[in-house]
Amino acid sequence: MKYLDQFDEIDHRILRALQRDASLSHAALAEEVGASPASCWRRIKALEGAGVLGPAVRLVNAAKVGRGVSVMCQLRMKTHATKDRQEFEAFIQTRGEIMDCHSMSGEWDYLLRVVVADVASYERFLMRELLAHPAVAAAASHFALSQVKYTTALPI
């Protein structure tokens, strides 16, 4: 697998440009990065093949679709047995409200970012789903007051 320092400047430009706007045509991208459209196409295919570039998506404004409440939820597990962790992580994959889930070091085992319509929706999700899961011992919830920064673009 290539690391960032193994990419040339054209690869870096392509990655930066596609993170800003994945809908660029190959011609527009080529013009922006200073390469031919055919070269850009080959480089994109190589980056996709190496797993550097994933699928192109459009980002949805959560507030505009009624999901304006963002909650950071810390979870502590009852046990750290492999089977319990695997079952819990499989459960997490099925829940659309959970945007991110990180296995953590320290006092809490997982950190979730949950997006819901309102506080009542989060309370229902927390009580009926998360805390009802047999592997979950405790949760601590932190409601975001505002979003100061949000980006999906990695520094390249």
Side-chain angles (χ1 to χ4, degrees), residues 10 17 23 43 59 61 110 141 155:
I10 299 294
S23 68
R43 287 170 180 265
L59 302 177
N61 181 320
Y110 289 94
S141 302

Side-chain angles (χ1 to χ4, degrees), residues 100-111:
D100 300 306
C101 176
H102 302 272
S103 177
M104 305 297 289
S105 64
E107 182 180 345
W108 296 92
D109 298 310
Y110 289 94
L111 176 64

